[in-house]
Amino acid sequence: MTKTGWESAIHSPEFFLSSEGHQDPEKELKATLRGMLQARVDNPDEHTVCRFPARTSWLRKQLAIPSEWGAVKSCPEFDNWSFKGTTDSISIVFATGYLGNPASYYGHTLLKLNSSLQRRQTTLLDVSVNYGAIVPENEDPLTYIVKGVTGGYKGGFSHIQYYFHTHNYGENELRDLWEYQLNLPQEAVELVVAHAWEVLGREYTYYFFRKNCAYRMAELIQVVEGVDIIPQHRPFTLPQSLISKLGRAKLNAQPLVDKVIYHPSRQSRLYRRFSSLSKQEQERVRTIIEQDSAHLGQAQALSYAEVDTLLDYYQYIIKSDSDGAETAQERYRQALLQRYLMPPQGRQGLEPRKPSPDLSRRPSRVELSRIYSSRAGSGWGVQLRPAYYDPLDSDDAHVSNSTLAMGELALQVFGQEWRVDRFDLVTIESANTQVTGLPGDSREAWRLKAGWVRPDLACGDCLAPRVEGSWGRSFAPRKYLNVTALVGAALQDKRHGQALVDATLGIRAVSRFSREASVLLERVVRTPIADAGHTQREDQVALRYALGANADVRLGYRSDGAEEVSLGLGVYF
């Protein structure tokens, strides 16, 4: 702690006009006022007014300094970057989660500056402002996680045209984008734009769980007086938490969000277009894809929807880096040529079939349950999941048919005896149900899990560390049913007659009868590998019913050496 009690989050010396400005706001204020009234300099972009347009604009208003005071009338670099003041609105863009990269598990947020000048051509040329960690090339995952959590990386704001993010997120990583256009007065828009310019390239300390992209984006917007969107009272800031609070926020008694715009990923567009085709149209598309491209010559017999579906499919395969990507490139060229030969008609936009993420449930969950154990009798259970979702509650804001949970703790008490049932350090499960059934639309499923568990339910107090990984396939025999089969291995500490290494074989079915009701059935068989031990069979049944957006009831059954039945009430926060 400094002698003034203040310490700036920005470490870059060039962000301050006083040599002690990073820890003394009063000296920085005085230096700023002197700089504002400084005589003209050779390069106006080096003048205080141009380096800190938000800071000086705010001071002019607070101190009623006449606009004609000061030697600088224009700032060429800032004017060029902000499209000469034509930004008339600001959007926060939320990219949904991506399980292929630890930094993207929980989604990502960025700022989009909407310019009336660029809107005449395309919004893809708008400026976007991004915040992230500055990570060296080829950093290994373990180092990345440790340094990201402990503040071992520098962080900073960068800017690039918006099309870069739509391509990276929507095309390469197949993540939906949700754009929240804010209802800000023009004066506030100009203040946020100016402040974004001030912090570009400045160094912060990056923290994965708290001072991350969501926190810093909220800070940028909160320079506007009356805006309060930083999620408080928790040790971490999830992008979804920001989006949830953003959706409820108000400014001057009006909703802060003016409009929500859905930008589907390439995968979402393909799935939507294919499912919208008639059975006959789907078969024609499948024939063209599975046989040869000669059928494309009959384009006059194909509908616009069929050709657009082919275009989305080939682009999807090209981006998947599969063995068929090179062939798909040529097929895409042929389909595009046929599309050009058809009478002009604009491609129809896709309206979302699911609620926007701000309407989703909150990310953390706590449950109190009543338990009956065939070994220990009646008791109580408490379960805390800081984040994020499991197969029963992975709603529209999450990756469907998947699990992402970190730091999940389950406690049980029977009489006066407390015990840890399990502590999941991390659980990640991904299952693609191959919605289209077309070649290259993978059914791949996988699971990675690490933590401490009871070797079986008959063992009351013998917690053991376990790491396991599995790979397999996922199927959707019915629209409301997903079935996943996995084979893998688990490494665990020897406890209660268990082997050091197990081969695992599991099958799981998840059914969603409605938006409120879902059920999970799972069986896992564990067989010892080259070690003493016995084959185990773990069975689980879980039913969930949602009580509104942020509460649910769950009925559970587990069998593994003993049996347990539980009935719990969960609250999301």
Side-chain angles (χ1 to χ4, degrees), residues 485-514:
L486 294 167
V487 61
L491 175 67
Q492 67 180 31
D493 189 22
K494 289 186 178 182
R495 299 284 176 90
H496 204 58
Q498 304 296 311
L500 178 64
V501 182
D502 284 340
T504 63
L505 177 63
I507 185 166
R508 182 177 69 190
V510 178
S511 181
R512 293 182 176 275
F513 301 105
S514 66

Side-chain angles (χ1 to χ4, degrees), residues 125-232:
L125 296 178
D126 284 331
V127 171
S128 63
V129 179
N130 186 52
Y131 179 84
I134 303 171
V135 182
E137 291 186 10
N138 303 318
E139 191 82 291
D140 66 270
L142 181 59
T143 300
Y144 176 85
I145 292 173
V146 172
K147 293 175 71 173
V149 170
T150 60
Y153 290 122
K154 295 176 181 177
F157 286 96
S158 60
H159 65 103
I160 199 168
Q161 289 175 312
Y162 181 57
Y163 74 81
F164 171 84
H165 294 296
T166 61
H167 180 79
N168 183 50
Y169 296 137
E171 303 292 331
N172 294 339
E173 296 182 353
L174 305 177
R175 301 162 67 177
D176 289 342
L177 298 176
W178 293 86
E179 179 181 347
Y180 292 82
Q181 189 168 309
L182 305 183
N183 181 25
L184 295 174
Q186 185 60 31
E187 182 182 26
V189 169
E190 293 171 1
L191 181 65
V192 174
V193 172
H195 185 50
W197 169 258
E198 294 176 342
V199 298
L200 284 176
R202 310 309 186 195
E203 289 185 357
Y204 295 73
T205 298
Y206 179 86
Y207 291 98
F208 181 82
F209 285 121
R210 181 59 176 167
K211 304 294 179 69
N212 52 23
C213 66
Y215 187 94
R216 296 302 180 195
M217 289 302 154
E219 271 192 331
L220 283 182
I221 303 300
Q222 283 196 182
V223 300
V224 178
E225 187 176 354
V227 173
D228 178 18
I229 57 174
I230 294 179
Q232 303 290 350

